[in-house]
Amino acid sequence: GGELTLRTDIIDILKFCREKNIKITLASNATLIGDKLIEAIEQHKDIASVVVSIDGPEKVHNFIRGWDKAFQRSIHNVRLMREKGIIVTIVSVITKDNLDNLKEIVESIKDAKPNYLELEFERMYTKEIVQKTADVLGIENNLENFPLAIGNLELPDYTMEKLKVSLDNFESNAKKAGMAYGYMPFYFKEKIDKYFKR
């Protein structure tokens, strides 16, 4: 977990993966990816791709991230990576804060030319999953370490009907823009009632 660009050894990790012939995907918010790291990823683009989190169009993304330059920095770096031929996927997690703006994500990112846009259904975790994870990591099971933990599976803070309309509008815009898109889980749209009910 956490932002990979905060690691001082990320370029060494890329080199290690090359030596072991391991294909990797680097997940980042892309605000701190500088020229040096972009150059290193470019040199390893046959084994490395990048996933960038974008929460919505500029205003929504910056509000969620709590920084008025977050969107601009992320999109700038996505554009630079794409110019270098690096495969970049943009992932937007569907939440109550961006549900009304899913269709606008397409317009706000299309000039950066990402290879793929993925909408991900907000993850929630049961007590059992959290405890198992805490045990494996050897850390305390508390809300500070696991902020998404919940006692029981709960319905989202919006209706399934509203979600369906938002997804339809999103897909319409993505098709108009000629942008490749999909969902995580992969069959989310086809099995939306099951996923919505957690």
Side-chain angles (χ1 to χ4, degrees), residues 56-108:
E58 183 176 335
K59 188 175 179 182
V60 174
H61 180 82
N62 289 346
F63 169 76
I64 291 171
R65 296 288 165 154
W67 182 36
D68 64 353
K69 298 284 185 263
F71 181 87
Q72 297 89 318
R73 288 284 293 274
S74 296
I75 289 299
H76 172 75
N77 287 325
V78 167
R79 189 175 291 111
L80 291 178
M81 287 187 283
R82 289 298 301 128
E83 288 171 1
K84 302 282 188 184
I86 298 166
I87 294 173
V88 179
T89 295
I90 288 183
V91 173
S92 297
V93 177
I94 302 166
T95 69
K96 63 181 169 47
D97 295 319
N98 68 7
L99 183 66
D100 293 331
N101 306 101
L102 297 181
K103 66 182 180 182
E104 297 166 35
I105 293 173
V106 175
E107 287 298 315
S108 65

Side-chain angles (χ1 to χ4, degrees), residues 124-127 130-131 134 139-152 154:
M124 304 290 271
Y125 302 96
T126 64
K127 286 181 179 178
V130 172
Q131 187 58 56
I139 61 176
E140 189 178 341
N141 179 356
N142 60 36
L143 281 177
E144 184 178 324
N145 289 336
F146 298 97
L148 297 179
I150 54 172
N152 299 304
E154 299 171 354

